[in-house]
Amino acid sequence: AGSVKSIELISGVSMVEEGQTVSKGQLLVSGVNLLRNGKYIYQPAEAVVYAEVLSEVSAECPLSELEKVYTGRVYREKTLVFFTKAKKIFKDSGNLPSDCDRIEKKERIMLFGRIALPLWITTVEYHEFEYEEKTLTVDEAIKKAESVVMRSLADKELISRQLTVTCKDDGVVAVCLYRAIENIAEELYLFEEK
């Protein structure tokens, strides 16, 4: 819901005017056009409708969280790939730990540094990690929750905002009530149920 500030009509018939208050789900632009002879034509309806909206975003940050910590152990595999055939040429991974990040690099083999052969070397590295519990101070949790809220507002054209932080036993909640100019138009297809 919001107050329409501008309409950039690309095709179709505008069903709202600047200054009009609209609600969520309301038809803004129609693809049905009534001609003077009483017949209807159907055309794509497309527009950018900017409205001033009031909305809310929130983020919660616990005082205790699990943090990923790398152990330093890295397991590797190298595979030679020829078209669709693959042959492992090196493997020190054995049984992989349950918690590891997989990083894959693929390099094409070049002859004399300039002629590309249909051969690739694929290197896969598995970086083992563990989760450790980390306890945050209330101030750290507040900064983290505020940061998450502000990142979600980064691409908005803000008019005003009001940030409230509430401390709970197990964490903090940051809630931001904001007023912004946003494109409220959503594309719906004929006979599509919302």
Side-chain angles (χ1 to χ4, degrees):
S3 173
V4 176
K5 294 298 179 193
S6 70
I7 303 166
E8 297 172 13
L9 189 64
I10 297 165
S11 66
V13 179
S14 179
M15 304 302 287
V16 295
E17 298 174 349
E18 287 184 25
Q20 182 178 344
T21 300
V22 295
S23 57
K24 186 165 179 67
Q26 182 176 342
L27 181 63
L28 303 174
V29 178
S30 175
V32 179
N33 197 351
L34 177 62
L35 300 177
R36 289 187 191 151
N37 62 8
K39 293 187 178 183
Y40 290 97
I41 62 165
Y42 300 95
Q43 64 189 56
E46 188 177 353
V48 177
V49 181
Y50 290 104
E52 183 178 317
V53 297
L54 182 63
S55 197
E56 179 181 285
V57 64
S58 65
E60 191 169 339
C61 182
L63 293 177
S64 178
E65 63 184 11
L66 292 178
E67 183 177 61
K68 185 191 284 189
V69 178
Y70 288 96
T71 64
R73 288 189 284 276
V74 178
Y75 304 92
R76 291 177 182 82
E77 296 178 353
K78 284 193 183 267
T79 306
L80 181 64
V81 180
F82 178 67
F83 290 109
T84 58
K85 304 279 187 206
K87 178 72 176 159
K88 284 206 184 334
I89 55 176
F90 175 77
K91 180 177 179 179
D92 72 354
S93 58
N95 292 330
L96 295 172
S98 58
D99 293 327
C100 59
D101 285 336
R102 183 179 191 274
I103 301 169
E104 183 174 321
K105 298 178 204 165
K106 194 172 186 178
E107 295 178 54
R108 190 160 202 172
I109 302 205
M110 305 293 282
L111 189 61
F112 308 117
R114 54 191 170 130
I115 300 170
L117 298 175
L119 291 169
W120 290 266
I121 297 267
T122 302
T123 304
V124 179
E125 292 183 346
Y126 300 91
H127 296 259
E128 183 181 20
F129 63 84
E130 297 172 346
Y131 287 106
E132 292 181 3
E133 190 164 337
K134 180 181 178 185
T135 303
L136 301 175
T137 66
V138 172
D139 286 341
E140 289 172 330
I142 288 171
K143 285 180 184 172
K144 191 170 182 177
E146 286 177 346
S147 174
V148 170
V149 166
M150 297 315 288
R151 273 196 311 270
S152 68
L153 296 175
D155 63 339
K156 308 245 184 263
E157 189 180 325
L158 292 177
I159 297 170
S160 65
R161 66 180 167 91
Q162 179 182 355
L163 183 67
T164 307
V165 178
T166 307
C167 294
K168 303 186 316 182
D169 289 339
D170 59 344
V172 298
V173 178
V175 178
C176 184
L177 186 64
Y178 69 91
R179 191 172 296 281
I181 304 293
E182 294 181 359
N183 178 12
I184 60 169
E186 291 180 27
E187 187 173 11
L188 292 176
Y189 295 96
L190 203 54
F191 308 115
E192 179 181 336
E193 288 187 32
K194 192 163 183 181

